[in-house]
């Protein structure tokens, strides 16, 4: 992969297209989760060195850019199609474009690849884990635990915009339990807490 498509460029693009700080943080949170799945999948496939790095980079880019057009083009007719068309014209990797299309239920794009599934699975859960952190008095994601997240998933009044069925479906698509899916994403977001504004200090 050329350096043009490594993390720096998508990170710039996300910031160029997005005014909302919370939407930028959402991109970073989904990136953290999706990338963690890229790391484990690369290991499972026995990839190493440059090959593993390039593989994992696709997960990072898809996470960062899955909603990059949303601020400017939030309608169902436009998001994520406007963004994907833009990325396609620039020659971004096809697996990334496919995953971005597939994260939207209404696009009709099937979730075929592991990347497609990891992105879809991470999207709603990242939002939910952010909400779980922000109700802690410390606003720190380090205090969030899997059991507490599961409990909050049953509380319909909490973060009601987050579709619980997308979280459970995402775990099923990845072939893991909901508990493991929560644990994986929680660990990934905890490692990026400062960048996400969820370390209880910068929040
Ligand atoms: Fe989206
Ligand atoms: Fe999203």
């Amino acid at each position: 992969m050329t350096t043009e498509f490594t993390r720096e460029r998508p990170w710039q693009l996300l910031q160029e297209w997005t005014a909302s700080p919370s939407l930028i943080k959402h991109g970073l949170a989904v990136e953290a989760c999706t990338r963690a799945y890229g790391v484990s999948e690369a290991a499972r496939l026995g990839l190493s060195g440059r090959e593993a790095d390039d593989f994992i980079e696709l997960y990072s880019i898809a996470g960062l850019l899955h909603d990059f057009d949303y601020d400017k083009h939030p309608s169902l007719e436009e998001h994520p199609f406007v963004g994907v068309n833009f990325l396609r014209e620039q020659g971004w990797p096809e697996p990334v474009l496919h995953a971005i299309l597939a994260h939207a239920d209404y696009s009709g794009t099937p979730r075929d690849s592991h990347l497609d599934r990891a992105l879809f699975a991470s999207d709603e859960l990242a939002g939910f884990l952010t909400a779980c952190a922000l109700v802690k008095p410390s606003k720190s994601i380090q205090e969030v635990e899997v059991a507490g997240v599961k409990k909050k998933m049953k509380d319909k009044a909490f973060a009601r915009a987050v579709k619980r069925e997308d979280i459970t479906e995402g775990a099923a698509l990845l072939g893991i339990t909901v508990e493991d899916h929560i644990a994986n994403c929680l660990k990934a977001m905890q490692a990026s807490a400062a960048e996400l504004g969820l370390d209880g200090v910068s929040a």
Side-chain angles (χ1 to χ4, degrees):
M1 202 188 308
T2 62
T3 50
E4 198 187 339
F5 297 118
T6 53
R7 189 179 185 274
E8 192 53 34
R9 184 70 193 118
W11 171 231
Q12 283 168 9
L13 255 188
L14 174 64
Q15 294 174 93
E16 281 164 22
W17 282 55
T18 308
S20 155
S22 63
L23 193 55
I24 290 179
K25 289 209 176 88
H26 172 67
L28 288 168
V30 175
E31 181 207 9
C33 300
T34 309
R35 184 180 178 90
Y37 282 118
V39 170
S40 55
E41 183 67 0
R44 195 188 69 82
L45 294 171
L47 304 180
S48 61
R50 182 65 190 270
E51 218 185 347
D53 291 346
D54 285 353
F55 181 84
I56 294 163
E57 202 71 15
L58 296 175
Y59 286 70
S60 248
I61 299 169
L64 277 172
L65 293 184
H66 80 284
D67 280 341
F68 88 107
D69 64 353
Y70 189 81
D71 230 3
K72 291 180 193 287
H73 305 281
S75 74
L76 295 180
E77 288 74 35
E78 292 184 306
H79 168 68
F81 310 105
V82 171
V84 166
N85 286 340
F86 175 86
L87 296 174
R88 183 166 280 128
E89 277 168 20
Q90 292 199 337
W92 288 73
E94 196 54 42
V96 168
L97 307 185
H98 194 275
I100 294 176
L101 284 174
H103 95 272
D105 273 327
Y106 51 85
S107 73
T109 303
R111 297 181 185 116
D112 298 325
S113 71
H114 181 266
L115 173 57
D116 295 344
R117 294 167 182 202
L119 179 62
F120 171 74
S122 300
D123 192 10
E124 292 293 285
L125 183 54
F128 196 72
L129 294 178
T130 299
C132 289
L134 293 178
V135 294
K136 295 280 179 194
S138 63
K139 298 195 180 347
S140 169
I141 196 159
Q142 312 300 353
E143 285 183 29
V144 178
E145 289 170 344
V146 174
V149 175
K150 278 215 78 183
K151 211 166 149 195
K152 286 207 153 51
M153 280 179 70
K154 292 192 193 116
D155 177 357
K156 290 199 175 82
F158 178 79
R160 66 181 81 200
V162 176
K163 290 194 229 151
R164 274 56 166 176
E165 63 272 25
D166 283 4
I167 297 173
T168 46
E169 191 192 330
L173 279 172
L174 288 171
I176 58 178
T177 64
V178 175
E179 288 80 3
D180 283 350
H181 182 34
I182 294 169
N184 292 339
C185 289
L186 196 50
K187 194 174 158 207
M189 286 176 63
Q190 285 170 339
S192 298
E195 193 182 29
L196 302 177
L198 298 175
D199 56 355
V201 180
S202 57

